[in-house]
Amino acid sequence: MRNLLKYFRKDKNPSAALAKERLQIIISHERIHSSNRANLLTSMQKELVEVIARHLNIDTHKVREQVKFDFAQNDGHSVLELNITLPDEDIVAAR
Amino acid sequence: MNGKHVVAEIIVVTSGKGGVGKTTTSAAFATGLAQRGNRTVVIDFDVGLRNLDLIMGCERRVVYDFVNVINGDATLRQALIKDKRYDNLFILPASQTRDKDSLDKEAVGRILNELKQEFDYIVCDSPAGIERGAFLAMYYADSAIVVTNPEVSSVRDSDRILGILSSKSKRAEEGSEHIKEHLLLTRYSPTRVERGEMLSVNDVLDILSVPLLGVIPESQAVLRASNSGTPVIVDSESDAGQAYTDAVARFLGEDRPHRFIENTKPSLLKRLFTKKREGVSA
Ligand SMILES: Nc1ncnc2c1ncn2[C@@H]1O[C@H](COP(=O)(O)OP(=O)(O)O)[C@@H](O)[C@H]1O
Ligand SMILES: [Mg+2]
């Protein structure tokens, strides 16, 4: 009886949960791509490049070409991907 | 000048999406602020689709409008319509012109400045969309009431509007203190939320993360009020009217518990035995 009631009342149309999930995904996506967030990513990238160049003792210009900055969106979470390709000699020099 | 406010406050009622309750809210809010003794003016920014006058019940007294004032065809004093219920409340109607570019940014700023000398609160009823009228309604704002329905497209549009408020407004451009944002969730149906058919208050707050000013229930009192040209807040017996009164009090800094969020509808059996006017809170 209780289950029957539950069937009729709550589980009949749980579409609100789906609505929330879809909204969370699309809105976080749109926020990232809005101009504000784009600026945030650009300035973050610039600063990271500066830090890398400082610590690895190579010029900023060279590092910038070798840093790949990517923002990816998966189910339920976002990934900020930072790919740095360094020539062997630079790593050796830094050590 | 008036004693209440040293500096008048400009409030924009906005949403992105149309038909969510901006005009209903602007009328209720302006009236509520006036009821509490504030000199208040409410401006219709919906050029070409004037409606606030109907909701306020002053449509037959419109002579001049916002665009007439901007063009210098009429003075503010001539265009402002005094409310028939509260003598500290005024309405500035929108123009019915089809020319959407008739609002000029500098001119709007000049008129708002002039109104600031006379009023405590200036409520701007924004049109839908993110075009010129909506932009100008929010550009000079000090605070924003973001009207949202518990429904996917409305929530998404509200998020867009929040982004625009924090990047394109005068305050954002000047780098001064942010526009104060308030979320007003309207057309809320606790019964449907309980059934899992409608986003709940908490769902919407999770997504938008803006302080909650109030929840206005879906109510037959709203249609009744618009039929008679009376802002719903005047109907102090109604659930929606009371919810708006609470929201105004919170806006003015009062701490009030949220009502009309839980389902309090009596069971079918109870309803069969008690006759009750629809849209009236328990
Ligand atoms: N709380 C509510 N309950 C029921 N109907 C409402 C409520 N709020 C607004 N409405 C109705 O929704 C419609 C749109 O409202 P309106 O205030 O004109 O929206 P907007 O200005 O955002 O386009 C109107 O028919 C109005 O009566
Ligand atoms: Mg409207």
Side-chain angles (χ1 to χ4, degrees), chain B residues 17-24 125 187 216-219 222-223 226:
Chain B
K17 192 170 169 14
V20 295
K22 289 179 295 294
T23 300
T24 305
D125 181 18
R187 311 205 65 167
I216 313 298
E218 172 76 24
S219 168
V222 174
L223 181 60
S226 71

Side-chain angles (χ1 to χ4, degrees), chain B residues 14-15 17-26 46 51 55 125-128 147 149 185-188 216-224 226 232 240 244:
Chain B
T14 184
S15 73
K17 192 170 169 14
V20 295
K22 289 179 295 294
T23 300
T24 305
T25 298
S26 300
D46 207 341
N51 267 328
I55 303 303
D125 181 18
S126 174
V147 180
N149 291 169
L185 197 55
T186 64
R187 311 205 65 167
Y188 195 73
I216 313 298
E218 172 76 24
S219 168
Q220 306 209 3
V222 174
L223 181 60
R224 210 165 48 225
S226 71
V232 71
Y244 273 117

Side-chain angles (χ1 to χ4, degrees), chain B residues 141-211:
Chain B
D142 300 305
S143 52
I145 298 175
V146 179
V147 180
T148 307
N149 291 169
E151 171 267 324
V152 285
S153 46
S154 173
V155 175
R156 181 202 212 168
D157 288 358
S158 293
D159 192 70
R160 294 268 338 254
I161 285 293
L162 287 163
I164 293 170
L165 285 170
S166 64
S167 62
K168 302 267 162 61
S169 63
K170 183 159 179 280
R171 281 172 175 265
E173 276 180 8
E174 287 173 347
S176 51
E177 204 184 321
H178 269 320
I179 291 183
K180 196 155 188 282
E181 300 161 345
H182 305 270
L183 181 70
L184 191 73
L185 197 55
T186 64
R187 311 205 65 167
Y188 195 73
S189 166
T191 320
R192 304 195 69 188
V193 171
E194 199 174 75
R195 283 198 225 120
E197 293 173 2
M198 185 182 263
L199 291 165
S200 70
V201 191
N202 287 328
D203 289 340
V204 178
L205 288 177
D206 277 352
I207 295 163
L208 293 178
S209 52
V210 173

